[in-house]
Amino acid sequence: MELRISELERQEKYKLLIGGIIPRPIAWVTSHNPAGVVNAAPFSYFNVACIDPMMISIAVSRKPGQVMKDTARNISETKEFVVNTVDVHNVALVNETSADFPADQSEVEALGLDLTPSQAIKVPRLALSRIHFECKLHQIVTLGEPAASDLIIGEVVHVHIDDSMYFNGKIDAEKFAPVSRLAGHTYATLGELFDHPRPVYDPKKY
């Protein structure tokens, strides 16, 4: 199958991306507006951006009419946010926060989610998560003409990890039990784990 991008409709492009780039980690982002209303929303266009300085990236698609989503607008205005991680224990509530709540209504309050203070920023964390990345905004890159997405790059300024899954400077993946996003309404767990050590280049071999 050969597909010409210029011949595809937006929904066809969307299905190709979310079906072909899997599994995708999920960022459960908390942010707040200048009035202090706390927003919580999941985003699966999420990954590591840089090691030192420690940065992560989240792409937030815009609503029809080039309107920024609440999360992107909040971050652009307050310059900080928290990435709360998603696992088998909280994924059902994560999915609930994906509903299109009005901008002036807090998903946290509506769903009765417990918050806990952050250490380095004002935006609170979600108590249901066991790993939290406190972030300050580094840069927002607007993608598309007209604007279609906001690529948010945040610098991690503090990390919280539950003691039960942190050993010798490493996070135990099985104890973490993260959940990833696939296409449609489908999520996935880790499944079988296997190792492939990275090879050392040997000029005699190649």
Side-chain angles (χ1 to χ4, degrees), residues 54-93:
M54 192 171 171
M55 293 185 181
I56 54 183
S57 64
I58 306 161
V60 181
S61 297
R62 291 206 177 188
K63 298 179 181 181
Q66 306 174 49
V67 177
M68 295 178 83
K69 287 187 177 179
D70 299 340
T71 296
R73 187 182 63 254
N74 288 348
I75 293 171
S76 70
E77 293 176 347
T78 66
K79 314 302 182 188
E80 55 184 40
F81 61 98
V82 179
V83 169
N84 307 271
T85 55
V86 180
D87 57 39
V88 296
H89 307 291
N90 62 23
V91 66
L93 280 169

Side-chain angles (χ1 to χ4, degrees), residues 22-164:
I22 57 174
R24 298 187 307 279
I26 306 168
W28 198 14
V29 180
T30 43
S31 62
H32 63 50
N33 64 19
V37 177
V38 179
N39 172 275
F43 299 94
S44 66
Y45 301 172
F46 159 60
N47 220 311
V48 174
C50 187
I51 303 300
D52 192 10
M54 192 171 171
M55 293 185 181
I56 54 183
S57 64
I58 306 161
V60 181
S61 297
R62 291 206 177 188
K63 298 179 181 181
Q66 306 174 49
V67 177
M68 295 178 83
K69 287 187 177 179
D70 299 340
T71 296
R73 187 182 63 254
N74 288 348
I75 293 171
S76 70
E77 293 176 347
T78 66
K79 314 302 182 188
E80 55 184 40
F81 61 98
V82 179
V83 169
N84 307 271
T85 55
V86 180
D87 57 39
V88 296
H89 307 291
N90 62 23
V91 66
L93 280 169
V94 172
N95 185 59
E96 290 292 317
T97 61
S98 68
D100 193 14
F101 282 76
D104 60 353
Q105 183 175 10
S106 169
E107 294 88 348
V108 173
E109 291 184 7
L111 298 171
L113 302 176
D114 291 331
L115 295 172
T116 188
S118 292
Q119 293 294 317
I121 63 175
K122 294 180 181 179
V123 177
R125 301 175 283 140
L126 290 165
L128 280 173
S129 289
R130 294 178 297 155
I131 304 176
H132 310 86
F133 297 96
E134 296 183 17
C135 300
K136 291 189 176 180
L137 177 63
H138 173 71
Q139 186 178 5
I140 295 182
V141 181
T142 301
L143 304 175
E145 293 184 8
S149 179
D150 295 293
L151 178 63
I152 297 167
I153 302 172
E155 180 173 354
V156 179
V157 294
H158 196 88
V159 180
H160 306 260
I161 306 174
D162 190 285
D163 291 342
S164 67

